[in-house]
Amino acid sequence: ETGVTQTPRHLVMGMTNKKSLKCEQHLGHNAMYWYKQSAKKPLELMFVYNFKEQTENNSVPSRFSPECPNSSHLFLHLHTLQPEDSALYLCASSQESQNTGELFFGEGSRLTVL
Amino acid sequence: GENVEQHPSTLSVQEGDSAVIKCTYSDSASNYFPWYKQELGKRPQLIIDIRSNVGEKKDQRIAVTLNKTAKHFSLHITETQPEDSAVYFCAAPTLYNFNKFYFGSGTKLNVKP
């Protein structure tokens, strides 16, 4: 399926582990995002990248480290997470020049921190 | 920054009835208001949006209305069907960064057959 793909879909990790989430978009968009979705809470914006440059870090703890090597790929590196970080992590992309604001989301990576 | 509040958090309707979900926002400069639908286990997807230069927009059974004076916008679904059952999110951007959206907390709509 074209669009926005995320891997892995499910991840279980201990608090001392290091893991990474991967996102790839096949839409030719120039902006990519990481959102956190927790139960009964609004979608929380974590990071924004425009043309591979980070333009937003929404007060995210340093145990989350994003990486955007090119406009099609986005990673979220995870290190020494806490159980409260367990959530669905959604990647999204958009075409900023169109100024429509439409976000195209991936299916998400369900993270469980033990 | 922008503050978006969404009500109700859950909504249960009978098939064929109408459903209305409301959102309020705080930044009077916000000018674009999308609605996303997220089915169980699926990704959020844009279903309709409205810009501040119009008061209403309709697409088949769904419509969105905007009251800029009162700073609220609403999603209307008519003739609801079981496949409309999902979580619906409203959102509004900040003025200084069009890429930065504040989302409402979501409304879980259940359409009973």
Side-chain angles (χ1 to χ4, degrees), chain A residues 62-80:
Chain A
S62 60
R63 57 185 184 269
F64 295 91
S65 175
E67 178 189 1
C68 189
N70 54 61
S71 58
S72 299
H73 293 84
L74 185 64
F75 295 88
L76 188 62
H77 303 300
L78 315 170
H79 178 47
T80 59

Side-chain angles (χ1 to χ4, degrees), chain A residues 23-37:
Chain A
C23 177
E24 185 174 359
Q25 59 99 358
H26 308 275
L27 300 169
H29 289 165
N30 54 24
M32 296 188 76
Y33 314 75
W34 280 114
Y35 278 88
K36 177 183 179 182
Q37 186 173 33

Side-chain angles (χ1 to χ4, degrees), chain A residues 1 4 9 33 35 37 42-43 45 48 50 56 58 88 90 94 96 99-103 105-107, chain B residues 4 32 34 36 38 41-46 49 51 89 96-106:
Chain A
E1 179 188 351
V4 182
R9 294 292 310 280
Y33 314 75
Y35 278 88
Q37 186 173 33
L43 280 165
L45 179 65
V48 181
N50 287 341
E56 190 75 30
N58 205 26
L88 181 68
L90 289 163
S94 69
E96 188 181 4
N99 211 29
T100 65
E102 180 173 3
L103 295 169
F105 286 92
E107 298 277 8
Chain B
V4 179
Y32 172 72
Y36 286 82
Q38 186 176 26
K42 300 290 183 66
R43 71 190 78 197
Q45 289 186 293
L46 181 73
D49 56 16
R51 296 189 179 277
F89 296 94
Y96 67 88
N97 187 346
F98 200 77
N99 295 122
K100 186 172 180 177
F101 282 93
Y102 287 91
F103 281 83
S105 53

